[in-house]
Amino acid sequence: MSKQEMLSKIIAALMDQDRTETNALVDKALENGVTPMEVLNEGLAAGLQELGVLFAEEEVFLPELLLAAEITTDIMKRLQDKFETEDTKIEKRGTVLLATVEGDVHDIGKSLVGMIMNASGYNIIDAGKDVPNKKMIELVKEHKPDIVGLSSLLSTTMPAQQEFIEMAKEAGIRDQIKVIVGGAPVSRDWANKIGADGYAEDASGTVIEADMLLGLK
């Protein structure tokens, strides 16, 4: 079986929320030379993203998406161990503070971003969902992250992203952080309009954007 065939089977098993089969296929892929990063990016993340599209189209429902995310998280813990024990150990690139903005309780996308970025070498501080900007400013001062990622899944909560940037200026910390915004209704134009440093459409794109902002690519 080719690498692509193994990854495709992982995607299919995850989309079926088959925990046993997904775990078995991941182990088989690793035994056959597929790297943990490939399993993550081209298998698990790809499967979750496909499920996310189906969820948006109302072809799958929230419990199915949550179960797939739970399966992925459990496997990620095992993969993280491999990252830390193999010669390909990933060195931390920087610290990222993530949150879903105040008024928005959607956090699956944000959690996926954190998972992918952590596996890609970033130290992740996940502030959770429905987080007030005042709290975010406090967390920036406390943890001194390199990047702040703000997710908004509702168009009505998008202004909170702009508010954070203004509050960061007032607090005198805007020049100490890079701000990346994302979420279903968010666009590159919106990011430019509110003065964000970056925009990402999906989890893998967030890693690319973060690398660029920190001068790593």
Side-chain angles (χ1 to χ4, degrees):
M1 192 186 302
S2 70
K3 177 173 74 175
Q4 193 53 53
E5 286 173 331
M6 286 187 281
L7 291 169
S8 294
K9 284 183 178 292
I10 290 172
I11 292 172
L14 183 63
M15 291 183 70
D16 287 338
Q17 301 100 54
D18 189 331
R19 185 187 301 271
T20 301
E21 181 70 3
T22 305
N23 273 278
L25 287 166
V26 166
D27 289 341
K28 183 175 181 180
L30 294 172
E31 289 167 5
N32 284 275
V34 182
T35 68
M37 187 60 73
E38 288 171 331
V39 168
L40 171 66
N41 288 334
E42 300 174 41
L44 299 171
L48 274 183
Q49 286 167 0
E50 286 193 37
L51 272 175
V53 171
L54 294 176
F55 175 69
E57 296 173 350
E58 298 184 347
E59 292 187 32
V60 300
F61 301 99
L62 185 58
E64 297 167 283
L65 191 57
L66 288 173
L67 179 54
E70 179 187 310
I71 293 169
T72 299
T73 299
D74 289 343
I75 295 174
M76 268 294 304
K77 291 174 182 176
R78 293 201 289 123
L79 291 187
Q80 192 63 39
D81 289 341
K82 290 185 178 295
F83 285 136
E84 292 172 358
T85 57
E86 292 183 356
D87 293 336
T88 55
K89 179 179 177 181
I90 300 173
E91 293 184 4
K92 293 299 178 186
R93 291 160 148 167
T95 297
V96 181
L97 173 63
L98 292 176
T100 302
V101 298
E102 186 172 15
D104 201 320
V105 296
H106 300 82
D107 69 347
I108 292 175
K110 180 263 300 169
S111 297
L112 178 58
V113 166
M115 204 158 45
I116 301 264
M117 294 195 79
N118 183 59
S120 299
Y122 284 93
N123 179 43
I124 302 299
I125 301 167
D126 190 337
K129 57 191 176 184
D130 192 16
V131 184
N133 280 325
K134 183 178 179 181
K135 176 66 174 177
M136 289 298 292
I137 296 296
E138 293 172 358
L139 289 171
V140 170
K141 291 179 178 179
E142 178 183 353
H143 296 285
K144 297 179 171 52
D146 302 288
I147 293 172
V148 174
L150 300 173
S151 174
S152 178
L153 274 293
L154 301 171
S155 58
T156 53
T157 61
M158 286 168 58
Q161 296 177 333
Q162 182 173 20
E163 181 190 51
F164 171 80
I165 291 172
E166 295 304 318
M167 289 178 67
K169 290 177 182 176
E170 293 171 8
I173 58 173
R174 179 64 184 92
D175 60 347
Q176 299 170 22
I177 52 175
K178 301 293 185 183
V179 178
I180 298 178
V181 295
V186 179
S187 66
R188 178 75 68 178
D189 286 344
W190 169 252
N192 292 337
K193 178 181 177 180
I194 66 174
D197 300 291
Y199 157 77
E201 185 174 359
D202 53 33
S204 56
T206 308
V207 175
I208 295 170
E209 193 82 353
D211 285 351
M212 183 184 69
L213 290 175
L214 296 185
L216 301 176
K217 283 192 176 181

